[in-house]
Amino acid sequence: MNKITKRNLVVVFFLIFVFKIDAGNNVYGNDFTIEQSMVANMEELDFSVNYSDEIKCGEETTFTVIVEGGSGVFKYRIGNIMRVDDGEMNYVVDPSKLKYQDNNQLDFTFMASGTYRLDFYVMDMSTNKYVRKNLQLEINDPSYPTIEAMADQVVGRCLAEGNVTEYEKALWLHDWIIDNMSYDNSLIYCGAEGALARGKGTCESYHRGYAMLLKRVGIETIRMTGNGHLWTGVKLDGKWYHVDTTWDDPGYRDTNVDINHLYFGVTDEIITQVHSEYQPNSAYAAESIDNNYFVKNGQLQVWMDQYVNEIQQHLSTNDETFSINAKNVQWIESYKIVINSLVKQGLQEKIIQGEFTSGAIERVLVEYNSDIFTFHVLYKNSGWIMENGAYYYMEDGKRVTGWKNIEDKYYYFNENGIRQTGWIQEGSAKYYLNTDGVMMQNSWIDGCYYVKTDGRMAVSEWVDDGKYYVDSDGKYVPGKKQSGWKKDNKGWWYEKEDGSYPKKQWLQIDKRWYYFDLNGYMQTGWLKDGGAWYYLETSGEMVCNKWINNMYYVKQNGKMAISEWVDGDKYYVDNAGKYVPGKKQSGWRKDDKGWWYVKEDGSHPRKQWLQIDGKKYHFDVNGYMQTGWVKDGNTWYYLETSGEMAYSKWINNTYYVKSNGNMAVSEWVDSNKYYVDSNGKYVPGKVKQ
């Protein structure tokens, strides 16, 4: 027998606290009522807890409480039983179910290794005061793994069975829970330990076990509550759904409805019908049925198909409000609430999508109440309609004629607006429209004719990636071969339509150039032809406008560059074709201050004239190109906005620059017709004597 201060190989005891609690009410439940005490100086109670030297999982462990002090009239209780799951302390049992008793021997059976905390209470009946001790146990039983290890094992089976999508994983783990658990009618076990180790528990246990498994496959969950019940919110493919593993495990099967998946992937609307106190949260809004069990397995479609004919009849006559009696009225109410709510939402979505009718519908509202579906339909004056078996498309209340692109599909409507099918002729081209009226593209028709990307029937050309040939009537010509690449153990070669193949020559194929050697095999790497070098990729394609090995440059015509500037005149290659590092191309440059000029040696002119491409420019002391009037020595010059020095022209109709660019002073100018003074200004009216 051990006390709580002793350490052994199986159980490790941590810090034990003794609390003196003021007189007050019982902490949990209504099993023992204590009136408020007015006793002032009560002697403190102290107690110890004895238990077996070896605690084994699966076997009942008896804890004996020994009290010292007090009146000698006591009641005893385990107040809390908790364990650490995934780093968090969680209840193993519902504390309200742990009652005070007269016997000082308290029993509990552990079912998994891990860290547990037990709270023991002793009540002095004469004073209505109690003390509490916390006992923390570290249990390591090789026959009973931790809850985490159990969860990992279940998840491993789930993944090993090929479940890949979030829906597949969530469904498999849901089924595992309900197949391996039963509801604890005693309402004691409320944690993941009950779900995974005991195989029984309350709704809390169902939720915690399921959430623990989902966490391990990366699926987000949240705890949902309402009307004294709880279940799991599950996020699948970015959308929230309600999943109730407890209600999906009623303990029996029903041949009419798969009740074991009735609450897998349901909406807020459904949940609020069965749990009126549930308050939807916009952060976890469950509105989609995409991952509902009955949607995924096709059963919802079967249920909806029962109503298609009736719906179509009403929609064909543009009925704005109509009702349909629900099928399967023999189902119990709880089934019908869920299933017919799904049917209602599914029908609403299908109608607006146009799957049950070709009618153009703006908005649909479907209601379900008392075994009746009521439809409220708002029709639009644009979209598909059907009349007397013919299909039309409306725009602004008018029937469309001719070609029309509708949702990236092409249709053709005759002069009366009727949607066409089969072959149609428009000008010299023929098109084929399938039974839905959609223009076919890139397809064989009747195994004989081929329609291309633009829908036109192919004529006298190779089709279907060049594999087949059609004649002038568009018919497939059996046996005709397309030219193309061939390969043998020596390399690649090319067969022409006439069966010949190129030798020792260039050939352009699909706008790319290739060279074939004397034996007709495609060459790669460097090739010298007619004094010029070319480079061929491993694919055989001649390279253009590209550096080879960061050393040689091949030009637009494929020839290796020699003694020239290349690649946008940014780099220079010598007479062997090699790149010359550091050599710069002269030319103009611009920054936020203006234009300047770089010479081949990298320098740039400053405070000087420079002739560039036959034109003279002047650069200031900082090297920037000047414009406007510039004085050099005693002479004025005029520089255009381009920087080019002006010659033989009037400036602002006042000053004249001569053929050398000098501003004229005190002389006759412009073929001796006009005179400028000593400041260079034109003198009006002066006549030459």
Side-chain angles (χ1 to χ4, degrees), residues 190 202-208 221-234 240-247 267-268 270-281 284 286:
C190 64
T202 62
C203 57
E204 180 87 51
S205 185
Y206 276 80
H207 159 71
R208 289 191 177 276
T221 67
I222 189 169
R223 186 175 186 266
M224 299 289 195
T225 62
N227 297 83
H229 179 57
L230 67 90
W231 61 95
T232 310
V234 181
W240 284 100
Y241 301 86
H242 296 273
V243 178
D244 194 333
T245 49
T246 309
W247 280 24
T267 62
D268 286 341
I270 293 173
I271 285 294
T272 53
Q273 291 184 72
V274 296
H275 300 301
S276 58
E277 295 178 3
Y278 174 71
Q279 297 294 321
N281 188 327
Y284 312 103

Short mmCIF file of all heavy atoms in Angstrom, two decimals, residues 190 202-208 221-234 240-247 267-268 270-281 284 286:
data_model
loop_
_atom_site.label_atom_id
_atom_site.label_comp_id
_atom_site.label_asym_id
_atom_site.label_seq_id
_atom_site.Cartn_x
_atom_site.Cartn_y
_atom_site.Cartn_z
N CYS A 190 -16.85 11.70 -20.27
CA CYS A 190 -17.10 12.89 -21.08
C CYS A 190 -15.88 13.35 -21.88
O CYS A 190 -15.93 14.42 -22.49
CB CYS A 190 -17.60 14.03 -20.20
SG CYS A 190 -16.39 14.58 -18.97
N THR A 202 -20.36 10.29 -23.26
CA THR A 202 -21.45 11.22 -23.54
C THR A 202 -21.18 11.94 -24.86
O THR A 202 -20.18 11.68 -25.53
CB THR A 202 -21.58 12.24 -22.42
OG1 THR A 202 -20.35 13.01 -22.36
CG2 THR A 202 -21.82 11.54 -21.08
N CYS A 203 -22.08 12.88 -25.23
CA CYS A 203 -21.88 13.65 -26.45
C CYS A 203 -20.56 14.43 -26.41
O CYS A 203 -19.91 14.62 -27.44
CB CYS A 203 -23.06 14.59 -26.71
SG CYS A 203 -23.42 15.74 -25.35
N GLU A 204 -20.17 14.87 -25.20
CA GLU A 204 -18.89 15.54 -25.04
C GLU A 204 -17.75 14.61 -25.44
O GLU A 204 -16.79 15.00 -26.10
CB GLU A 204 -18.71 16.00 -23.60
CG GLU A 204 -17.39 16.71 -23.34
CD GLU A 204 -17.45 18.19 -23.61
OE1 GLU A 204 -18.36 18.86 -23.11
OE2 GLU A 204 -16.59 18.68 -24.33
N SER A 205 -17.85 13.35 -25.03
CA SER A 205 -16.82 12.36 -25.36
C SER A 205 -16.79 12.09 -26.86
O SER A 205 -15.71 11.99 -27.46
CB SER A 205 -17.08 11.07 -24.59
OG SER A 205 -16.05 10.14 -24.80
N TYR A 206 -17.96 11.96 -27.49
CA TYR A 206 -18.02 11.77 -28.95
C TYR A 206 -17.31 12.93 -29.66
O TYR A 206 -16.51 12.73 -30.58
CB TYR A 206 -19.47 11.68 -29.42
CG TYR A 206 -20.10 10.31 -29.33
CD1 TYR A 206 -20.60 9.84 -28.12
CD2 TYR A 206 -20.22 9.50 -30.45
CE1 TYR A 206 -21.21 8.59 -28.02
CE2 TYR A 206 -20.82 8.25 -30.36
CZ TYR A 206 -21.31 7.79 -29.15
OH TYR A 206 -21.91 6.55 -29.08
N HIS A 207 -17.64 14.14 -29.23
CA HIS A 207 -17.04 15.32 -29.86
C HIS A 207 -15.53 15.37 -29.66
O HIS A 207 -14.77 15.57 -30.61
CB HIS A 207 -17.67 16.59 -29.31
CG HIS A 207 -16.82 17.81 -29.51
ND1 HIS A 207 -16.60 18.38 -30.75
CD2 HIS A 207 -16.08 18.54 -28.61
CE1 HIS A 207 -15.77 19.40 -30.63
NE2 HIS A 207 -15.45 19.54 -29.34
N ARG A 208 -15.09 15.18 -28.39
CA ARG A 208 -13.66 15.33 -28.12
C ARG A 208 -12.84 14.25 -28.83
O ARG A 208 -11.76 14.52 -29.33
CB ARG A 208 -13.42 15.30 -26.61
CG ARG A 208 -13.90 16.56 -25.89
CD ARG A 208 -13.40 16.62 -24.47
NE ARG A 208 -13.81 17.85 -23.83
CZ ARG A 208 -13.17 19.01 -23.93
NH1 ARG A 208 -12.05 19.07 -24.67
NH2 ARG A 208 -13.60 20.09 -23.30
N THR A 221 -11.64 22.18 -36.34
CA THR A 221 -12.92 21.88 -35.70
C THR A 221 -13.26 22.96 -34.69
O THR A 221 -12.42 23.76 -34.29
CB THR A 221 -12.89 20.52 -34.98
OG1 THR A 221 -11.98 20.59 -33.87
CG2 THR A 221 -12.47 19.40 -35.93
N ILE A 222 -14.53 22.95 -34.25
CA ILE A 222 -14.99 23.83 -33.18
C ILE A 222 -16.11 23.13 -32.44
O ILE A 222 -16.84 22.31 -33.00
CB ILE A 222 -15.45 25.20 -33.73
CG1 ILE A 222 -15.71 26.17 -32.56
CG2 ILE A 222 -16.70 25.04 -34.60
CD1 ILE A 222 -15.91 27.57 -32.99
N ARG A 223 -16.24 23.40 -31.15
CA ARG A 223 -17.26 22.81 -30.29
C ARG A 223 -18.56 23.55 -30.48
O ARG A 223 -18.64 24.76 -30.28
CB ARG A 223 -16.79 22.87 -28.84
CG ARG A 223 -17.66 22.17 -27.81
CD ARG A 223 -16.92 22.28 -26.47
NE ARG A 223 -17.57 21.52 -25.41
CZ ARG A 223 -18.44 22.03 -24.55
NH1 ARG A 223 -18.79 23.31 -24.66
NH2 ARG A 223 -18.94 21.27 -23.58
N MET A 224 -19.64 22.84 -30.84
CA MET A 224 -20.95 23.43 -31.04
C MET A 224 -21.90 22.95 -29.95
O MET A 224 -21.86 21.76 -29.57
CB MET A 224 -21.51 23.04 -32.41
CG MET A 224 -20.67 23.49 -33.60
SD MET A 224 -20.76 25.27 -33.81
CE MET A 224 -20.08 25.46 -35.46
N THR A 225 -22.77 23.83 -29.44
CA THR A 225 -23.70 23.45 -28.37
C THR A 225 -25.07 24.03 -28.61
O THR A 225 -25.24 25.06 -29.27
CB THR A 225 -23.19 23.94 -26.99
OG1 THR A 225 -23.12 25.38 -27.00
CG2 THR A 225 -21.83 23.37 -26.67
N GLY A 226 -26.08 23.35 -28.03
CA GLY A 226 -27.44 23.84 -28.10
C GLY A 226 -28.40 22.85 -27.47
O GLY A 226 -28.28 21.63 -27.65
N ASN A 227 -29.35 23.34 -26.69
CA ASN A 227 -30.36 22.51 -26.05
C ASN A 227 -29.78 21.38 -25.22
O ASN A 227 -30.25 20.24 -25.23
CB ASN A 227 -31.31 21.93 -27.11
CG ASN A 227 -32.09 23.01 -27.85
OD1 ASN A 227 -31.58 23.59 -28.79
ND2 ASN A 227 -33.33 23.25 -27.42
N GLY A 228 -28.70 21.68 -24.46
CA GLY A 228 -28.09 20.69 -23.59
C GLY A 228 -27.32 19.60 -24.31
O GLY A 228 -26.98 18.58 -23.71
N HIS A 229 -27.03 19.81 -25.57
CA HIS A 229 -26.33 18.83 -26.38
C HIS A 229 -25.14 19.51 -27.04
O HIS A 229 -25.10 20.75 -27.16
CB HIS A 229 -27.27 18.25 -27.44
CG HIS A 229 -26.64 17.24 -28.35
ND1 HIS A 229 -26.03 16.08 -27.90
CD2 HIS A 229 -26.51 17.23 -29.70
CE1 HIS A 229 -25.56 15.39 -28.92
NE2 HIS A 229 -25.85 16.06 -30.03
N LEU A 230 -24.14 18.73 -27.41
CA LEU A 230 -23.02 19.31 -28.14
C LEU A 230 -22.59 18.38 -29.26
O LEU A 230 -22.79 17.17 -29.20
CB LEU A 230 -21.85 19.66 -27.22
CG LEU A 230 -21.07 18.59 -26.50
CD1 LEU A 230 -19.88 18.13 -27.34
CD2 LEU A 230 -20.56 19.14 -25.17
N TRP A 231 -21.97 18.97 -30.30
CA TRP A 231 -21.51 18.26 -31.48
C TRP A 231 -20.31 19.01 -32.06
O TRP A 231 -19.78 19.93 -31.43
CB TRP A 231 -22.65 18.13 -32.49
CG TRP A 231 -23.20 19.45 -32.97
CD1 TRP A 231 -22.84 20.13 -34.09
CD2 TRP A 231 -24.19 20.24 -32.30
NE1 TRP A 231 -23.55 21.29 -34.18
CE2 TRP A 231 -24.39 21.39 -33.10
CE3 TRP A 231 -24.92 20.10 -31.13
CZ2 TRP A 231 -25.29 22.39 -32.75
CZ3 TRP A 231 -25.83 21.10 -30.80
CH2 TRP A 231 -26.00 22.23 -31.60
N THR A 232 -19.88 18.66 -33.26
CA THR A 232 -18.63 19.15 -33.82
C THR A 232 -18.87 20.00 -35.06
O THR A 232 -19.57 19.58 -35.98
CB THR A 232 -17.69 17.99 -34.18
OG1 THR A 232 -17.59 17.09 -33.07
CG2 THR A 232 -16.29 18.51 -34.55
N GLY A 233 -18.29 21.21 -35.07
CA GLY A 233 -18.20 21.99 -36.30
C GLY A 233 -16.93 21.60 -37.02
O GLY A 233 -15.85 21.58 -36.44
N VAL A 234 -17.04 21.26 -38.31
CA VAL A 234 -15.90 20.76 -39.09
C VAL A 234 -15.73 21.63 -40.33
O VAL A 234 -16.69 21.91 -41.04
CB VAL A 234 -16.12 19.28 -39.50
CG1 VAL A 234 -14.91 18.77 -40.28
CG2 VAL A 234 -16.36 18.42 -38.27
N TRP A 240 -17.58 25.59 -43.47
CA TRP A 240 -17.95 24.95 -42.22
C TRP A 240 -19.21 24.09 -42.39
O TRP A 240 -20.12 24.44 -43.14
CB TRP A 240 -18.21 26.01 -41.14
CG TRP A 240 -16.93 26.60 -40.59
CD1 TRP A 240 -16.37 27.78 -40.95
CD2 TRP A 240 -16.08 26.02 -39.62
NE1 TRP A 240 -15.21 27.98 -40.25
CE2 TRP A 240 -15.00 26.90 -39.42
CE3 TRP A 240 -16.11 24.83 -38.89
CZ2 TRP A 240 -13.97 26.66 -38.53
CZ3 TRP A 240 -15.08 24.57 -38.00
CH2 TRP A 240 -14.03 25.47 -37.82
N TYR A 241 -19.21 22.97 -41.65
CA TYR A 241 -20.34 22.05 -41.63
C TYR A 241 -20.55 21.56 -40.20
O TYR A 241 -19.62 21.53 -39.40
CB TYR A 241 -20.09 20.83 -42.54
CG TYR A 241 -19.84 21.17 -43.99
CD1 TYR A 241 -18.56 21.50 -44.43
CD2 TYR A 241 -20.87 21.16 -44.92
CE1 TYR A 241 -18.32 21.81 -45.76
CE2 TYR A 241 -20.64 21.46 -46.25
CZ TYR A 241 -19.36 21.79 -46.66
OH TYR A 241 -19.14 22.09 -47.98
N HIS A 242 -21.79 21.17 -39.89
CA HIS A 242 -22.09 20.52 -38.63
C HIS A 242 -21.99 19.01 -38.81
O HIS A 242 -22.53 18.45 -39.78
CB HIS A 242 -23.50 20.89 -38.15
CG HIS A 242 -23.67 22.34 -37.85
ND1 HIS A 242 -23.38 22.88 -36.61
CD2 HIS A 242 -24.09 23.37 -38.62
CE1 HIS A 242 -23.64 24.18 -36.64
NE2 HIS A 242 -24.07 24.51 -37.85
N VAL A 243 -21.32 18.33 -37.85
CA VAL A 243 -21.24 16.87 -37.83
C VAL A 243 -21.56 16.41 -36.42
O VAL A 243 -20.88 16.80 -35.47
CB VAL A 243 -19.84 16.37 -38.27
CG1 VAL A 243 -19.80 14.84 -38.20
CG2 VAL A 243 -19.50 16.84 -39.68
N ASP A 244 -22.58 15.58 -36.28
CA ASP A 244 -23.00 15.10 -34.96
C ASP A 244 -22.78 13.60 -34.90
O ASP A 244 -23.62 12.80 -35.31
CB ASP A 244 -24.47 15.44 -34.71
CG ASP A 244 -24.86 15.28 -33.25
OD1 ASP A 244 -24.22 14.46 -32.55
OD2 ASP A 244 -25.80 15.96 -32.81
N THR A 245 -21.62 13.19 -34.36
CA THR A 245 -21.31 11.77 -34.25
C THR A 245 -22.20 11.08 -33.23
O THR A 245 -22.47 9.88 -33.35
CB THR A 245 -19.83 11.59 -33.87
OG1 THR A 245 -19.51 12.44 -32.75
CG2 THR A 245 -18.91 11.93 -35.04
N THR A 246 -22.66 11.81 -32.22
CA THR A 246 -23.53 11.20 -31.21
C THR A 246 -24.87 10.80 -31.81
O THR A 246 -25.32 9.67 -31.69
CB THR A 246 -23.76 12.17 -30.05
OG1 THR A 246 -22.51 12.67 -29.57
CG2 THR A 246 -24.49 11.46 -28.90
N TRP A 247 -25.53 11.74 -32.48
CA TRP A 247 -26.84 11.46 -33.05
C TRP A 247 -26.76 10.53 -34.26
O TRP A 247 -27.76 9.93 -34.65
CB TRP A 247 -27.54 12.76 -33.42
CG TRP A 247 -28.18 13.42 -32.23
CD1 TRP A 247 -27.82 13.26 -30.91
CD2 TRP A 247 -29.25 14.35 -32.24
NE1 TRP A 247 -28.61 14.02 -30.11
CE2 TRP A 247 -29.51 14.71 -30.89
CE3 TRP A 247 -30.03 14.90 -33.23
CZ2 TRP A 247 -30.50 15.62 -30.55
CZ3 TRP A 247 -31.03 15.80 -32.89
CH2 TRP A 247 -31.26 16.15 -31.56
N THR A 267 -26.26 21.93 -42.40
CA THR A 267 -26.18 23.38 -42.35
C THR A 267 -26.71 23.96 -41.04
O THR A 267 -27.35 23.27 -40.24
CB THR A 267 -26.98 23.98 -43.51
OG1 THR A 267 -28.36 23.61 -43.35
CG2 THR A 267 -26.48 23.47 -44.87
N ASP A 268 -26.47 25.27 -40.87
CA ASP A 268 -27.04 25.99 -39.73
C ASP A 268 -28.56 25.88 -39.73
O ASP A 268 -29.19 25.73 -38.68
CB ASP A 268 -26.65 27.47 -39.78
CG ASP A 268 -25.19 27.72 -39.41
OD1 ASP A 268 -24.57 26.84 -38.79
OD2 ASP A 268 -24.67 28.80 -39.75
N ILE A 270 -30.52 23.51 -40.78
CA ILE A 270 -30.98 22.22 -40.28
C ILE A 270 -30.76 22.11 -38.78
O ILE A 270 -31.65 21.67 -38.04
CB ILE A 270 -30.26 21.08 -41.03
CG1 ILE A 270 -30.68 21.06 -42.51
CG2 ILE A 270 -30.53 19.72 -40.38
CD1 ILE A 270 -29.90 20.09 -43.37
N ILE A 271 -29.59 22.51 -38.31
CA ILE A 271 -29.28 22.40 -36.89
C ILE A 271 -30.25 23.22 -36.04
O ILE A 271 -30.69 22.77 -34.98
CB ILE A 271 -27.82 22.82 -36.62
CG1 ILE A 271 -26.87 21.71 -37.10
CG2 ILE A 271 -27.58 23.12 -35.16
CD1 ILE A 271 -26.98 20.42 -36.33
N THR A 272 -30.59 24.42 -36.49
CA THR A 272 -31.50 25.25 -35.70
C THR A 272 -32.91 24.68 -35.66
O THR A 272 -33.69 25.03 -34.77
CB THR A 272 -31.54 26.69 -36.27
OG1 THR A 272 -31.86 26.65 -37.66
CG2 THR A 272 -30.20 27.38 -36.07
N GLN A 273 -33.24 23.81 -36.59
CA GLN A 273 -34.55 23.15 -36.53
C GLN A 273 -34.58 22.05 -35.48
O GLN A 273 -35.63 21.80 -34.89
CB GLN A 273 -34.90 22.55 -37.90
CG GLN A 273 -35.20 23.59 -38.98
CD GLN A 273 -35.63 22.95 -40.27
OE1 GLN A 273 -36.73 22.43 -40.39
NE2 GLN A 273 -34.76 23.00 -41.27
N VAL A 274 -33.45 21.40 -35.24
CA VAL A 274 -33.40 20.32 -34.25
C VAL A 274 -32.86 20.79 -32.91
O VAL A 274 -33.06 20.12 -31.89
CB VAL A 274 -32.58 19.13 -34.79
CG1 VAL A 274 -33.26 18.53 -35.99
CG2 VAL A 274 -31.16 19.52 -35.13
N HIS A 275 -32.15 21.92 -32.90
CA HIS A 275 -31.64 22.51 -31.67
C HIS A 275 -31.99 23.99 -31.68
O HIS A 275 -31.20 24.84 -32.12
CB HIS A 275 -30.13 22.32 -31.53
CG HIS A 275 -29.68 20.90 -31.51
ND1 HIS A 275 -30.09 20.00 -30.57
CD2 HIS A 275 -28.86 20.22 -32.32
CE1 HIS A 275 -29.55 18.83 -30.80
NE2 HIS A 275 -28.80 18.92 -31.87
N SER A 276 -33.17 24.32 -31.21
CA SER A 276 -33.69 25.68 -31.33
C SER A 276 -32.85 26.71 -30.59
O SER A 276 -32.87 27.89 -30.92
CB SER A 276 -35.13 25.72 -30.81
OG SER A 276 -35.18 25.28 -29.45
N GLU A 277 -32.08 26.28 -29.57
CA GLU A 277 -31.28 27.21 -28.79
C GLU A 277 -29.91 27.51 -29.44
O GLU A 277 -29.19 28.39 -28.96
CB GLU A 277 -31.06 26.67 -27.38
CG GLU A 277 -32.34 26.56 -26.57
CD GLU A 277 -32.11 25.98 -25.18
OE1 GLU A 277 -30.92 25.71 -24.84
OE2 GLU A 277 -33.09 25.78 -24.44
N TYR A 278 -29.58 26.77 -30.48
CA TYR A 278 -28.30 27.03 -31.14
C TYR A 278 -28.32 28.39 -31.82
O TYR A 278 -29.25 28.72 -32.55
CB TYR A 278 -27.99 25.94 -32.16
CG TYR A 278 -26.74 26.26 -32.97
CD1 TYR A 278 -25.49 26.20 -32.39
CD2 TYR A 278 -26.82 26.65 -34.30
CE1 TYR A 278 -24.34 26.53 -33.12
CE2 TYR A 278 -25.70 26.96 -35.03
CZ TYR A 278 -24.45 26.91 -34.44
OH TYR A 278 -23.33 27.24 -35.15
N GLN A 279 -27.29 29.18 -31.58
CA GLN A 279 -27.15 30.50 -32.18
C GLN A 279 -26.03 30.48 -33.22
O GLN A 279 -24.86 30.39 -32.86
CB GLN A 279 -26.86 31.55 -31.10
CG GLN A 279 -27.95 31.73 -30.07
CD GLN A 279 -29.22 32.29 -30.68
OE1 GLN A 279 -29.17 33.16 -31.56
NE2 GLN A 279 -30.37 31.81 -30.22
N PRO A 280 -26.38 30.52 -34.52
CA PRO A 280 -25.34 30.51 -35.55
C PRO A 280 -24.36 31.66 -35.37
O PRO A 280 -24.73 32.76 -34.99
CB PRO A 280 -26.13 30.65 -36.86
CG PRO A 280 -27.49 30.14 -36.54
CD PRO A 280 -27.74 30.53 -35.11
N ASN A 281 -23.10 31.36 -35.65
CA ASN A 281 -22.02 32.34 -35.56
C ASN A 281 -21.50 32.61 -36.96
O ASN A 281 -21.14 31.69 -37.69
CB ASN A 281 -20.90 31.79 -34.66
CG ASN A 281 -19.83 32.82 -34.37
OD1 ASN A 281 -19.50 33.68 -35.20
ND2 ASN A 281 -19.25 32.73 -33.17
N TYR A 284 -18.39 30.98 -38.18
CA TYR A 284 -18.41 29.55 -38.48
C TYR A 284 -19.70 29.18 -39.23
O TYR A 284 -20.24 28.09 -39.06
CB TYR A 284 -18.30 28.73 -37.20
CG TYR A 284 -17.19 29.19 -36.29
CD1 TYR A 284 -17.47 29.95 -35.15
CD2 TYR A 284 -15.87 28.91 -36.57
CE1 TYR A 284 -16.46 30.39 -34.32
CE2 TYR A 284 -14.85 29.35 -35.74
CZ TYR A 284 -15.15 30.09 -34.61
OH TYR A 284 -14.15 30.52 -33.79
N ALA A 286 -22.36 27.76 -41.41
CA ALA A 286 -22.46 26.53 -42.20
C ALA A 286 -23.65 26.68 -43.15
O ALA A 286 -24.81 26.52 -42.75
CB ALA A 286 -22.64 25.33 -41.28
#
